[in-house]
Amino acid sequence: MEPPPKDPWYRRATLYHLYPLSFADSNGDGYGDIRGIIDHLDYLNNGNSDSLGITALWLSPIYLSPMADWGYDVADHTAIDPRFGTMADFDELLEKAHERGVKLLLDFVPNHTSELHKWFTQSRASQDNPKRDWYIWADPGKDGGYPNNWVSYFGGPAWSLDKKTGQYYLHTFLPQQPDLNWRNADVRDAMFDVLRFWLNKGVDGFRTDAVMGLVKDDQLRDDAPNPNWRAGVNDPGDEFIRIHSSGQRELSNVLGSFCDVLAEKENKFLLSEAYLNVPGLHKMYGACVRHPVHAPFNFNLIGLPWSAVAYRDFIDSYEAILGPEDWPNYVLGNHDRHRLVSRLGPERARLMAVLEMTMRGLAVVYYGEELGLPDTPIGPTEVRDPWEQRVTGRGYGRDPERTPMPWNSENGGGFTDATPWLPMGSASASLNVESERRDPESSLNLYQHLIHLRAESPALIEGDYRSVDLGNGYVYGYVRETERQKFLVMLNFDFNPATVTLRGQVGKWVAGTHKVEGDGLSGVAGELELGSYEGRVYELMQGDKS
Ligand code: NOJ
């Protein structure tokens, strides 16, 4: 293992996941764009405590794309889609973000390209085209049908027949997103060069899309039937357990080679999209043996049962498998999952904000999460997500969590002067940046306060984590501490007030979901009552034992 990077900025970072189509529209076409992001950098971080204070940005894809999957179908990895602006706009964004100390991560989509990518148009031209093997082609199966039983995540078979050349090509997602063949060395080299192109521009790292399925079984064997799957009840994409179409042994070499490319520059960071349990995450952390710059996203909080014990047990077990250089992270929402507030309700969402910003590891905020924004209901004529178009009415559509950022309560939400590409949603009348700035109790102010507290508190950034027993099963308590600083966090997972027992600590209330009366200074000793879904953060005086 090589020594850790000189400036492990990701260990101090609060990462803001921005969905560019929905952040701010600067040219009046109804879609968000790069100039819109530049215009709102002050909101994200203006260097003072009156801005959100995030220190890293991850942009969902901004590359040239026919937008079959809203940018996750890349037609040219090194060109900006005109919908988002120009390369000059991108360069300006990168420069201005860096001026503010904000790192910029791009979305790297290695599993597939757009069907319109020149590599695929060549590949499909003939069976003997030099690019044929860049994608995964197979003859029809014995019965003349699909080569095997693999299914697409978006419903239906993962194979489409190319009539002209008589073979099927593989697409783990849409037919418009053919899968690249990562067993082909030329594909690997070409994609490494894509990483280098952006690294040479100065980006600080990548979020890597859909890594688990990058390498497929070399014999294209059938996946295993899923005994728990019921037609019409369960997700069509789960009909088979992906033992051969995903999670292959060779994957760790590919991930390792991404890290090697990133290590050609200094202080780069790689995050992988992989929905894994704790043992799976453990394995993924091991993929980059030479450079400790890689972390798999941890999505487990999204699906955990709502209980203090479940959260404590999960986080304790996750912490336990991490090596000294492994850096944890906690994801509460993204462009593929229903919004935090819609999953948990506004009170519990506030509690999760306290957890997110006081946990050890990379804090991640999905745009609008800081506003407490719920999903926006999408009418049948408003659907833009291809998944919803293919598997209709089952709740898989991702439009509800992708609607425009509400900047104010005007028509168009300050997002656009035109008709927004997805509806603003009625919640944005009160849940918007302008209104929430004025309300000291707003979700925005809670996030802003917590983000700044975290940035200024060594114990919250690099301190140890340890769960503590507060004598109440509804309350999750933990301590974050360095030699010089110590915090006690108490999260009441119950609707009812909860009493906790403290062992004579004296501390200062520094943050929480509820307003605490008085000057904020409290002697914390004996019993303390937490309100319904209340979270409190105390900075303890040195010498307190927990
Ligand atoms: C995962 C991305 O997060 C999702 O939005 C996309 O549709 C698929 N990968 C395919 O790229």
Side-chain angles (χ1 to χ4, degrees), residues 58 69 72-73 107 109 112 154 173 177 207 209-210 273 334-336 398 402:
W58 149 35
D69 189 19
Y72 284 93
D73 48 324
D107 214 308
V109 188
H112 45 270
F154 292 150
F173 297 91
Q177 292 169 296
R207 172 266 188 186
D209 187 68
E273 186 208 22
N334 63 28
H335 63 301
D336 295 329
R398 300 165 295 176
R402 296 176 174 181

Side-chain angles (χ1 to χ4, degrees), residues 148-344:
N148 65 22
N149 70 1
W150 295 359
V151 290
S152 153
Y153 280 105
F154 292 150
W159 297 95
S160 285
L161 181 64
D162 181 61
K163 287 205 184 96
K164 191 174 134 216
T165 58
Q167 283 190 309
Y168 283 87
Y169 67 89
L170 180 70
H171 51 85
T172 301
F173 297 91
L174 297 174
Q176 297 95 318
Q177 292 169 296
D179 281 30
L180 283 165
N181 177 12
W182 276 85
R183 293 181 182 275
N184 180 306
D186 294 334
V187 168
R188 293 199 294 271
D189 287 345
M191 290 302 277
F192 297 159
D193 283 346
V194 168
L195 293 173
R196 289 189 184 103
F197 174 87
W198 295 105
L199 290 170
N200 286 338
K201 279 195 169 282
V203 305
D204 302 285
F206 302 88
R207 172 266 188 186
T208 312
D209 187 68
V211 297
M212 290 311 290
L214 266 192
V215 186
K216 283 88 179 166
D217 178 47
D218 54 0
Q219 295 165 54
L220 302 178
R221 282 171 289 188
D222 274 356
D223 278 333
N226 178 353
N228 301 319
W229 186 85
R230 300 280 168 276
V233 176
N234 299 108
D235 183 346
D238 290 341
E239 184 175 351
F240 298 95
I241 302 170
R242 295 173 185 264
I243 54 169
H244 290 306
S245 59
S246 182
Q248 300 302 288
R249 205 170 5 96
E250 296 89 337
L251 175 63
S252 63
N253 292 340
V254 176
L255 281 174
S257 55
F258 292 162
C259 292
D260 291 346
V261 174
L262 264 72
E264 291 168 10
K265 303 276 183 191
E266 282 197 351
N267 301 331
K268 304 302 173 193
F269 187 47
L270 187 68
L271 282 157
S272 294
E273 186 208 22
Y275 285 81
L276 294 167
N277 59 13
V278 169
L281 292 172
H282 184 43
K283 239 167 115 179
M284 284 288 264
Y285 273 107
C288 288
V289 278
R290 284 186 49 215
H291 312 282
V293 292
H294 170 253
F297 265 133
N298 162 30
F299 297 111
N300 288 278
L301 295 193
I302 293 178
L304 275 189
W306 181 258
S307 90
V309 174
Y311 274 66
R312 185 203 59 205
D313 287 354
F314 169 76
I315 292 171
D316 285 356
S317 65
Y318 178 43
E319 278 282 344
I321 53 104
L322 296 169
E325 296 305 329
D326 295 338
W327 196 232
N329 66 81
Y330 295 89
V331 177
L332 297 173
N334 63 28
H335 63 301
D336 295 329
R337 300 284 147 164
H338 291 309
R339 283 193 176 271
L340 177 66
V341 164
S342 296
R343 297 196 320 266
L344 298 180

Side-chain angles (χ1 to χ4, degrees), residues 34-35 38 41 87-97:
I34 296 173
R35 176 115 341 249
I38 296 172
L41 281 174
M87 192 60 89
D89 293 335
F90 174 78
D91 292 340
E92 187 180 327
L93 171 64
L94 183 61
E95 193 184 325
K96 293 202 162 141

